[in-house]
PDB file of all heavy atoms in Angstrom:
ATOM      1  N   ILE A  12       0.851  -1.184   0.001  1.00 98.00           N
ATOM      2  CA  ILE A  12      -0.003  -0.001  -0.003  1.00 98.00           C
ATOM      3  C   ILE A  12       0.886   1.241   0.000  1.00 98.00           C
ATOM      4  O   ILE A  12       1.734   1.413   0.899  1.00 98.00           O
ATOM      5  CB  ILE A  12      -0.932   0.013   1.220  1.00 98.00           C
ATOM      6  CG1 ILE A  12      -1.878  -1.203   1.185  1.00 98.00           C
ATOM      7  CG2 ILE A  12      -1.741   1.301   1.286  1.00 98.00           C
ATOM      8  CD1 ILE A  12      -2.689  -1.391   2.445  1.00 98.00           C
ATOM      9  N   CYS A  13       0.734   2.083  -1.011  1.00 98.00           N
ATOM     10  CA  CYS A  13       1.475   3.343  -1.097  1.00 98.00           C
ATOM     11  C   CYS A  13       0.552   4.478  -0.647  1.00 98.00           C
ATOM     12  O   CYS A  13      -0.505   4.694  -1.260  1.00 98.00           O
ATOM     13  CB  CYS A  13       1.948   3.596  -2.522  1.00 98.00           C
ATOM     14  SG  CYS A  13       3.105   2.363  -3.157  1.00 98.00           S
ATOM     15  N   VAL A  14       0.935   5.158   0.416  1.00 98.00           N
ATOM     16  CA  VAL A  14       0.115   6.227   0.971  1.00 98.00           C
ATOM     17  C   VAL A  14       0.677   7.577   0.533  1.00 98.00           C
ATOM     18  O   VAL A  14       1.783   7.952   0.937  1.00 98.00           O
ATOM     19  CB  VAL A  14       0.055   6.145   2.502  1.00 98.00           C
ATOM     20  CG1 VAL A  14      -0.911   7.198   3.059  1.00 98.00           C
ATOM     21  CG2 VAL A  14      -0.389   4.748   2.957  1.00 98.00           C
ATOM     22  N   ASP A  15      -0.062   8.274  -0.337  1.00 98.00           N
ATOM     23  CA  ASP A  15       0.305   9.615  -0.779  1.00 98.00           C
ATOM     24  C   ASP A  15      -0.186  10.613   0.264  1.00 98.00           C
ATOM     25  O   ASP A  15      -1.361  10.589   0.650  1.00 98.00           O
ATOM     26  CB  ASP A  15      -0.330   9.942  -2.134  1.00 98.00           C
ATOM     27  CG  ASP A  15       0.140   9.023  -3.247  1.00 98.00           C
ATOM     28  OD1 ASP A  15       1.323   8.625  -3.224  1.00 98.00           O
ATOM     29  OD2 ASP A  15      -0.672   8.710  -4.134  1.00 98.00           O
ATOM     30  N   ILE A  16       0.699  11.529   0.688  1.00 98.00           N
ATOM     31  CA  ILE A  16       0.414  12.399   1.814  1.00 98.00           C
ATOM     32  C   ILE A  16       0.642  13.868   1.438  1.00 98.00           C
ATOM     33  O   ILE A  16       1.656  14.205   0.819  1.00 98.00           O
ATOM     34  CB  ILE A  16       1.296  12.036   3.024  1.00 98.00           C
ATOM     35  CG1 ILE A  16       0.948  10.625   3.531  1.00 98.00           C
ATOM     36  CG2 ILE A  16       1.148  13.051   4.161  1.00 98.00           C
ATOM     37  CD1 ILE A  16       1.893  10.097   4.586  1.00 98.00           C
ATOM     38  N   TRP A  17      -0.348  14.715   1.818  1.00 98.00           N
ATOM     39  CA  TRP A  17      -0.215  16.159   1.703  1.00 98.00           C
ATOM     40  C   TRP A  17      -0.400  16.753   3.102  1.00 98.00           C
ATOM     41  O   TRP A  17      -1.358  16.425   3.796  1.00 98.00           O
ATOM     42  CB  TRP A  17      -1.286  16.744   0.806  1.00 98.00           C
ATOM     43  CG  TRP A  17      -1.263  16.333  -0.630  1.00 98.00           C
ATOM     44  CD1 TRP A  17      -0.760  17.042  -1.673  1.00 98.00           C
ATOM     45  CD2 TRP A  17      -1.841  15.144  -1.208  1.00 98.00           C
ATOM     46  NE1 TRP A  17      -0.957  16.372  -2.860  1.00 98.00           N
ATOM     47  CE2 TRP A  17      -1.626  15.206  -2.601  1.00 98.00           C
ATOM     48  CE3 TRP A  17      -2.514  14.039  -0.679  1.00 98.00           C
ATOM     49  CZ2 TRP A  17      -2.047  14.206  -3.466  1.00 98.00           C
ATOM     50  CZ3 TRP A  17      -2.935  13.026  -1.528  1.00 98.00           C
ATOM     51  CH2 TRP A  17      -2.701  13.113  -2.916  1.00 98.00           C
ATOM     52  N   LYS A  18       0.483  17.659   3.512  1.00 98.00           N
ATOM     53  CA  LYS A  18       0.350  18.270   4.840  1.00 98.00           C
ATOM     54  C   LYS A  18       0.128  19.762   4.700  1.00 98.00           C
ATOM     55  O   LYS A  18       0.926  20.467   4.079  1.00 98.00           O
ATOM     56  CB  LYS A  18       1.601  18.000   5.693  1.00 98.00           C
ATOM     57  CG  LYS A  18       1.406  18.376   7.164  1.00 98.00           C
ATOM     58  CD  LYS A  18       2.574  17.934   8.018  1.00 98.00           C
ATOM     59  CE  LYS A  18       2.297  18.175   9.499  1.00 98.00           C
ATOM     60  NZ  LYS A  18       1.988  19.578   9.826  1.00 98.00           N
ATOM     61  N   ASP A  19      -0.976  20.240   5.277  1.00 98.00           N
ATOM     62  CA  ASP A  19      -1.325  21.656   5.283  1.00 98.00           C
ATOM     63  C   ASP A  19      -1.716  22.032   6.705  1.00 98.00           C
ATOM     64  O   ASP A  19      -2.856  21.816   7.123  1.00 98.00           O
ATOM     65  CB  ASP A  19      -2.482  21.926   4.318  1.00 98.00           C
ATOM     66  CG  ASP A  19      -2.096  21.646   2.875  1.00 98.00           C
ATOM     67  OD1 ASP A  19      -1.348  22.452   2.285  1.00 98.00           O
ATOM     68  OD2 ASP A  19      -2.527  20.603   2.332  1.00 98.00           O
ATOM     69  N   GLY A  20      -0.766  22.571   7.466  1.00 97.00           N
ATOM     70  CA  GLY A  20      -1.033  22.897   8.862  1.00 97.00           C
ATOM     71  C   GLY A  20      -1.353  21.634   9.646  1.00 97.00           C
ATOM     72  O   GLY A  20      -0.592  20.660   9.612  1.00 97.00           O
ATOM     73  N   ASN A  21      -2.497  21.648  10.318  1.00 98.00           N
ATOM     74  CA  ASN A  21      -2.849  20.479  11.122  1.00 98.00           C
ATOM     75  C   ASN A  21      -3.749  19.500  10.358  1.00 98.00           C
ATOM     76  O   ASN A  21      -4.280  18.555  10.945  1.00 98.00           O
ATOM     77  CB  ASN A  21      -3.543  20.901  12.420  1.00 98.00           C
ATOM     78  CG  ASN A  21      -4.950  21.442  12.178  1.00 98.00           C
ATOM     79  OD1 ASN A  21      -5.167  22.186  11.242  1.00 98.00           O
ATOM     80  ND2 ASN A  21      -5.879  21.082  13.042  1.00 98.00           N
ATOM     81  N   ILE A  22      -3.901  19.712   9.047  1.00 98.00           N
ATOM     82  CA  ILE A  22      -4.684  18.795   8.217  1.00 98.00           C
ATOM     83  C   ILE A  22      -3.743  17.997   7.317  1.00 98.00           C
ATOM     84  O   ILE A  22      -2.967  18.586   6.536  1.00 98.00           O
ATOM     85  CB  ILE A  22      -5.728  19.540   7.342  1.00 98.00           C
ATOM     86  CG1 ILE A  22      -6.705  20.308   8.227  1.00 98.00           C
ATOM     87  CG2 ILE A  22      -6.455  18.559   6.436  1.00 98.00           C
ATOM     88  CD1 ILE A  22      -7.526  19.426   9.166  1.00 98.00           C
ATOM     89  N   VAL A  23      -3.812  16.678   7.427  1.00 98.00           N
ATOM     90  CA  VAL A  23      -3.042  15.792   6.577  1.00 98.00           C
ATOM     91  C   VAL A  23      -4.021  15.096   5.634  1.00 98.00           C
ATOM     92  O   VAL A  23      -4.888  14.343   6.069  1.00 98.00           O
ATOM     93  CB  VAL A  23      -2.272  14.738   7.401  1.00 98.00           C
ATOM     94  CG1 VAL A  23      -1.509  13.782   6.488  1.00 98.00           C
ATOM     95  CG2 VAL A  23      -1.312  15.424   8.372  1.00 98.00           C
ATOM     96  N   SER A  24      -3.910  15.395   4.340  1.00 98.00           N
ATOM     97  CA  SER A  24      -4.740  14.721   3.339  1.00 98.00           C
ATOM     98  C   SER A  24      -3.966  13.522   2.818  1.00 98.00           C
ATOM     99  O   SER A  24      -2.742  13.545   2.737  1.00 98.00           O
ATOM    100  CB  SER A  24      -5.069  15.686   2.195  1.00 98.00           C
ATOM    101  OG  SER A  24      -5.719  16.847   2.658  1.00 98.00           O
ATOM    102  N   PHE A  25      -4.713  12.477   2.433  1.00 98.00           N
ATOM    103  CA  PHE A  25      -4.006  11.285   1.944  1.00 98.00           C
ATOM    104  C   PHE A  25      -4.913  10.424   1.079  1.00 98.00           C
ATOM    105  O   PHE A  25      -6.142  10.527   1.108  1.00 98.00           O
ATOM    106  CB  PHE A  25      -3.459  10.454   3.109  1.00 98.00           C
ATOM    107  CG  PHE A  25      -4.506   9.882   4.036  1.00 98.00           C
ATOM    108  CD1 PHE A  25      -4.963   8.577   3.874  1.00 98.00           C
ATOM    109  CD2 PHE A  25      -5.023  10.636   5.080  1.00 98.00           C
ATOM    110  CE1 PHE A  25      -5.922   8.047   4.723  1.00 98.00           C
ATOM    111  CE2 PHE A  25      -5.989  10.116   5.926  1.00 98.00           C
ATOM    112  CZ  PHE A  25      -6.432   8.814   5.747  1.00 98.00           C
ATOM    113  N   ARG A  26      -4.285   9.589   0.274  1.00 98.00           N
ATOM    114  CA  ARG A  26      -4.960   8.525  -0.465  1.00 98.00           C
ATOM    115  C   ARG A  26      -4.023   7.331  -0.448  1.00 98.00           C
ATOM    116  O   ARG A  26      -2.814   7.474  -0.206  1.00 98.00           O
ATOM    117  CB  ARG A  26      -5.286   8.954  -1.891  1.00 98.00           C
ATOM    118  CG  ARG A  26      -4.098   9.072  -2.796  1.00 98.00           C
ATOM    119  CD  ARG A  26      -4.468   9.432  -4.222  1.00 98.00           C
ATOM    120  NE  ARG A  26      -3.255   9.775  -4.967  1.00 98.00           N
ATOM    121  CZ  ARG A  26      -3.141  10.767  -5.825  1.00 98.00           C
ATOM    122  NH1 ARG A  26      -4.198  11.532  -6.073  1.00 98.00           N
ATOM    123  NH2 ARG A  26      -2.008  11.002  -6.443  1.00 98.00           N
ATOM    124  N   ALA A  27      -4.555   6.169  -0.734  1.00 98.00           N
ATOM    125  CA  ALA A  27      -3.749   4.946  -0.715  1.00 98.00           C
ATOM    126  C   ALA A  27      -3.913   4.216  -2.041  1.00 98.00           C
ATOM    127  O   ALA A  27      -5.030   4.065  -2.557  1.00 98.00           O
ATOM    128  CB  ALA A  27      -4.167   4.041   0.444  1.00 98.00           C
ATOM    129  N   ARG A  28      -2.780   3.763  -2.578  1.00 98.00           N
ATOM    130  CA  ARG A  28      -2.760   3.025  -3.831  1.00 98.00           C
ATOM    131  C   ARG A  28      -2.052   1.684  -3.618  1.00 98.00           C
ATOM    132  O   ARG A  28      -1.139   1.590  -2.797  1.00 98.00           O
ATOM    133  CB  ARG A  28      -2.004   3.791  -4.912  1.00 98.00           C
ATOM    134  CG  ARG A  28      -2.585   5.142  -5.284  1.00 98.00           C
ATOM    135  CD  ARG A  28      -1.671   5.913  -6.241  1.00 98.00           C
ATOM    136  NE  ARG A  28      -0.477   6.395  -5.579  1.00 98.00           N
ATOM    137  CZ  ARG A  28       0.742   5.905  -5.774  1.00 98.00           C
ATOM    138  NH1 ARG A  28       0.944   4.881  -6.602  1.00 98.00           N
ATOM    139  NH2 ARG A  28       1.787   6.417  -5.133  1.00 98.00           N
ATOM    140  N   VAL A  29      -2.464   0.672  -4.373  1.00 98.00           N
ATOM    141  CA  VAL A  29      -1.744  -0.589  -4.378  1.00 98.00           C
ATOM    142  C   VAL A  29      -0.638  -0.501  -5.410  1.00 98.00           C
ATOM    143  O   VAL A  29      -0.892  -0.238  -6.592  1.00 98.00           O
ATOM    144  CB  VAL A  29      -2.692  -1.775  -4.687  1.00 98.00           C
ATOM    145  CG1 VAL A  29      -1.906  -3.028  -5.029  1.00 98.00           C
ATOM    146  CG2 VAL A  29      -3.599  -2.048  -3.494  1.00 98.00           C
ATOM    147  N   LYS A  30       0.586  -0.698  -4.963  1.00 97.00           N
ATOM    148  CA  LYS A  30       1.756  -0.529  -5.825  1.00 97.00           C
ATOM    149  C   LYS A  30       1.736  -1.514  -6.995  1.00 97.00           C
ATOM    150  O   LYS A  30       2.035  -1.139  -8.135  1.00 97.00           O
ATOM    151  CB  LYS A  30       3.017  -0.738  -4.996  1.00 97.00           C
ATOM    152  CG  LYS A  30       4.315  -0.576  -5.755  1.00 97.00           C
ATOM    153  CD  LYS A  30       5.510  -0.752  -4.811  1.00 97.00           C
ATOM    154  CE  LYS A  30       6.837  -0.563  -5.521  1.00 97.00           C
ATOM    155  NZ  LYS A  30       7.975  -0.718  -4.581  1.00 97.00           N
ATOM    156  N   GLU A  31       1.363  -2.743  -6.726  1.00 96.00           N
ATOM    157  CA  GLU A  31       1.441  -3.789  -7.747  1.00 96.00           C
ATOM    158  C   GLU A  31       0.420  -3.584  -8.872  1.00 96.00           C
ATOM    159  O   GLU A  31       0.651  -4.028 -10.006  1.00 96.00           O
ATOM    160  CB  GLU A  31       1.233  -5.165  -7.111  1.00 96.00           C
ATOM    161  CG  GLU A  31       2.361  -5.604  -6.193  1.00 96.00           C
ATOM    162  CD  GLU A  31       2.309  -4.999  -4.798  1.00 96.00           C
ATOM    163  OE1 GLU A  31       1.386  -4.186  -4.520  1.00 96.00           O
ATOM    164  OE2 GLU A  31       3.177  -5.334  -3.972  1.00 96.00           O
ATOM    165  N   ARG A  32      -0.701  -2.929  -8.590  1.00 95.00           N
ATOM    166  CA  ARG A  32      -1.762  -2.762  -9.598  1.00 95.00           C
ATOM    167  C   ARG A  32      -2.063  -1.297  -9.901  1.00 95.00           C
ATOM    168  O   ARG A  32      -2.888  -0.992 -10.754  1.00 95.00           O
ATOM    169  CB  ARG A  32      -3.054  -3.449  -9.112  1.00 95.00           C
ATOM    170  CG  ARG A  32      -2.966  -4.952  -9.006  1.00 95.00           C
ATOM    171  CD  ARG A  32      -4.296  -5.558  -8.560  1.00 95.00           C
ATOM    172  NE  ARG A  32      -4.541  -5.387  -7.125  1.00 95.00           N
ATOM    173  CZ  ARG A  32      -5.569  -4.727  -6.610  1.00 95.00           C
ATOM    174  NH1 ARG A  32      -6.452  -4.158  -7.420  1.00 95.00           N
ATOM    175  NH2 ARG A  32      -5.728  -4.644  -5.301  1.00 95.00           N
ATOM    176  N   ASP A  33      -1.416  -0.384  -9.196  1.00 91.00           N
ATOM    177  CA  ASP A  33      -1.655   1.062  -9.326  1.00 91.00           C
ATOM    178  C   ASP A  33      -3.147   1.369  -9.218  1.00 91.00           C
ATOM    179  O   ASP A  33      -3.705   2.172  -9.983  1.00 91.00           O
ATOM    180  CB  ASP A  33      -1.098   1.607 -10.640  1.00 91.00           C
ATOM    181  CG  ASP A  33      -0.985   3.145 -10.610  1.00 91.00           C
ATOM    182  OD1 ASP A  33      -0.787   3.676  -9.505  1.00 91.00           O
ATOM    183  OD2 ASP A  33      -1.128   3.772 -11.668  1.00 91.00           O
ATOM    184  N   ALA A  34      -3.803   0.719  -8.260  1.00 97.00           N
ATOM    185  CA  ALA A  34      -5.231   0.929  -8.031  1.00 97.00           C
ATOM    186  C   ALA A  34      -5.419   1.735  -6.753  1.00 97.00           C
ATOM    187  O   ALA A  34      -4.796   1.448  -5.724  1.00 97.00           O
ATOM    188  CB  ALA A  34      -5.947  -0.415  -7.895  1.00 97.00           C
ATOM    189  N   VAL A  35      -6.272   2.772  -6.813  1.00 98.00           N
ATOM    190  CA  VAL A  35      -6.574   3.558  -5.623  1.00 98.00           C
ATOM    191  C   VAL A  35      -7.546   2.759  -4.748  1.00 98.00           C
ATOM    192  O   VAL A  35      -8.617   2.360  -5.201  1.00 98.00           O
ATOM    193  CB  VAL A  35      -7.197   4.916  -6.003  1.00 98.00           C
ATOM    194  CG1 VAL A  35      -7.620   5.682  -4.745  1.00 98.00           C
ATOM    195  CG2 VAL A  35      -6.199   5.758  -6.816  1.00 98.00           C
ATOM    196  N   VAL A  36      -7.154   2.528  -3.505  1.00 98.00           N
ATOM    197  CA  VAL A  36      -7.974   1.705  -2.601  1.00 98.00           C
ATOM    198  C   VAL A  36      -8.634   2.526  -1.489  1.00 98.00           C
ATOM    199  O   VAL A  36      -9.660   2.129  -0.954  1.00 98.00           O
ATOM    200  CB  VAL A  36      -7.137   0.550  -2.007  1.00 98.00           C
ATOM    201  CG1 VAL A  36      -6.735  -0.423  -3.106  1.00 98.00           C
ATOM    202  CG2 VAL A  36      -5.895   1.060  -1.282  1.00 98.00           C
ATOM    203  N   ILE A  37      -8.040   3.656  -1.162  1.00 98.00           N
ATOM    204  CA  ILE A  37      -8.642   4.618  -0.226  1.00 98.00           C
ATOM    205  C   ILE A  37      -8.446   5.996  -0.833  1.00 98.00           C
ATOM    206  O   ILE A  37      -7.356   6.331  -1.303  1.00 98.00           O
ATOM    207  CB  ILE A  37      -8.023   4.527   1.174  1.00 98.00           C
ATOM    208  CG1 ILE A  37      -8.705   3.410   1.982  1.00 98.00           C
ATOM    209  CG2 ILE A  37      -8.138   5.855   1.928  1.00 98.00           C
ATOM    210  CD1 ILE A  37      -8.224   3.275   3.403  1.00 98.00           C
ATOM    211  N   ASN A  38      -9.512   6.796  -0.810  1.00 97.00           N
ATOM    212  CA  ASN A  38      -9.442   8.127  -1.396  1.00 97.00           C
ATOM    213  C   ASN A  38      -9.989   9.147  -0.416  1.00 97.00           C
ATOM    214  O   ASN A  38     -10.624   8.802   0.580  1.00 97.00           O
ATOM    215  CB  ASN A  38     -10.239   8.169  -2.701  1.00 97.00           C
ATOM    216  CG  ASN A  38      -9.628   9.094  -3.742  1.00 97.00           C
ATOM    217  OD1 ASN A  38      -8.780   9.930  -3.424  1.00 97.00           O
ATOM    218  ND2 ASN A  38     -10.051   8.953  -4.988  1.00 97.00           N
ATOM    219  N   ASN A  39      -9.716  10.425  -0.708  1.00 98.00           N
ATOM    220  CA  ASN A  39     -10.289  11.528   0.069  1.00 98.00           C
ATOM    221  C   ASN A  39      -9.984  11.427   1.555  1.00 98.00           C
ATOM    222  O   ASN A  39     -10.799  11.799   2.401  1.00 98.00           O
ATOM    223  CB  ASN A  39     -11.805  11.605  -0.149  1.00 98.00           C
ATOM    224  CG  ASN A  39     -12.184  11.651  -1.618  1.00 98.00           C
ATOM    225  OD1 ASN A  39     -12.617  10.622  -2.172  1.00 98.00           O
ATOM    226  ND2 ASN A  39     -12.016  12.779  -2.255  1.00 98.00           N
TER     227      ASN A  39
END
């Protein structure tokens, strides 16, 4: 699971992708 992370102050936005299939498994 690859977790893409954005940090803006005290809010951390993220999504998760499966590396082997490049499929988004968690969004928003």
Side-chain angles (χ1 to χ4, degrees):
I12 298 171
C13 297
V14 185
D15 297 325
I16 295 171
W17 296 260
K18 191 172 187 302
D19 296 286
N21 71 318
I22 300 298
V23 178
S24 302
F25 63 97
R26 71 177 169 221
R28 299 173 288 108
V29 166
K30 181 178 181 179
E31 292 80 358
R32 294 182 284 120
D33 196 29
V35 175
V36 294
I37 276 183
N38 214 344
N39 308 103

